[in-house]
Each structure stands twice: as C-alpha cells, then as structure tokens.
Amino acid sequence: MIQTALEETKRVKEAKGHQAGTQGSAIVAGYGPAGRIVGEHLEASGYAVTVVDTNPDTVLMRLERNKGAKFGNILDEGVLRNAGIMEADVLVIAIPDEGDAIEACRIARKMRGDLKIVARTNFLSRGLMAGEAGANEVVVEEVVTAEAMRDAVNRLMDRA
C-alpha cells in the first residue's frame, strides 16, 4: 500500500514535469543576488530550478554546471513555456525592473491560474500593483530596508 502511494506520487510528479528525486520545479526569473539566493535555497531544498535571464553569461554558467537555464525575457510567453511554466510549482520574479515584474505577474497568472508567484518590487505602491497583477507574495525592498535599518538602530541602541 505504501509502495503504491509512493509510486503514484512519483508518477504524478513526473507527469507534472518533475525530475526524479526532486520536490518539484521552480522558475527563477533574474539571477542577480536576489534570484541566486532564492534559487540556491530551492535547489538545496530539492527543487529542480530553471533560471530565466537575459544575461547570456549567467545562462551559460548555469548550463555548464548542468543546471536549468533559459535565455530570454520573462515577458515572453514562449520563454515561459520553454522554461516549464505549465508544470512549475512556483515562479520567482527577482528582476529589478518593477514595471516588468508587474507585467510578468500578469502574464504568468493568465497562463496558470494556480501557479504560486513571488515577486520583487522596490516600492510599496508597486508591490500592491504586483499583488493585483497576480503575485501571491511580494517582497518590497523599501519595507525590507526599513526593517533592517530599524534592527540596526536597535542593535546600536542596545550597546549604548
């Protein structure tokens, strides 16, 4: 019975495009510092990660390490399909351009209503827009910076 359940789980994952031995699959758009940290965390957690980036050196580096990577613009539905959006468990939009991040949320949500989307924006107002465009979670840089500054002040004041 347990073996049957395990085999069924494996079959479902493979049908969804998951590689054998992975927890699932993720797409990380933008592989700068933010995307790299999230991508490495996902890989360490057992996810098959496909990076989408417009920097050919980044894509080549990933491919040379036998890691998933696609060259292209995340706003292109063909690039998203090629990256595996129809099977992915999560899309991480770590690109620095807020307008493109919001549009990527809109496009991805239209393609997959059930996809988990995490997006990055610089400002709270744009974060709200990303949420309205389809992001399930938004990391807003000005909020994260404010929290880090508050914590730094608290550390300094505790030392005084």
Side-chain angles (χ1 to χ4, degrees):
M1 180 105 156
I2 293 174
Q3 185 63 31
T4 304
L6 291 172
E7 288 172 4
E8 179 63 13
T9 300
K10 180 181 176 188
R11 188 191 63 71
V12 168
K13 283 184 174 183
E14 287 173 354
K16 285 182 72 181
H18 297 164
Q19 298 173 3
T22 66
Q23 292 295 318
S25 63
I27 299 170
V28 176
Y31 208 61
R36 183 161 306 171
I37 289 169
V38 175
E40 289 174 354
H41 168 73
L42 286 165
E43 286 173 336
S45 299
Y47 284 81
V49 174
T50 300
V51 168
V52 175
D53 207 290
T54 57
N55 182 335
D57 293 333
T58 298
V59 172
L60 184 59
M61 176 210 53
R62 292 266 311 165
L63 293 174
E64 286 173 347
R65 294 181 176 151
N66 294 319
K67 303 281 188 176
K70 302 293 180 187
F71 177 80
N73 189 321
I74 198 66
L75 300 179
D76 183 330
E77 285 187 30
V79 169
L80 282 168
R81 282 189 198 285
N82 195 23
I85 194 170
M86 302 314 288
E87 299 80 32
D89 296 294
V90 64
L91 169 63
V92 178
I93 303 170
I95 58 175
D97 184 299
E98 291 179 302
D100 284 354
I102 293 165
E103 185 60 21
C105 290
R106 189 171 289 113
I107 292 166
R109 181 59 62 218
K110 181 180 78 174
M111 293 176 76
R112 281 270 315 276
D114 64 331
L115 181 65
K116 294 175 184 84
I117 302 172
V118 178
R120 158 192 176 182
T121 64
N122 299 320
F123 300 106
L124 185 56
S125 60
R126 295 295 211 147
L128 295 171
M129 293 170 73
E132 290 171 0
N136 301 87
E137 296 282 340
V138 181
V139 177
V140 180
E141 292 178 13
E142 73 176 347
V143 172
V144 173
T145 299
E147 291 169 348
M149 291 179 78
R150 175 202 62 213
D151 294 346
V153 166
N154 285 339
R155 282 191 304 276
L156 287 173
M157 298 310 286
D158 287 343
R159 292 182 196 155

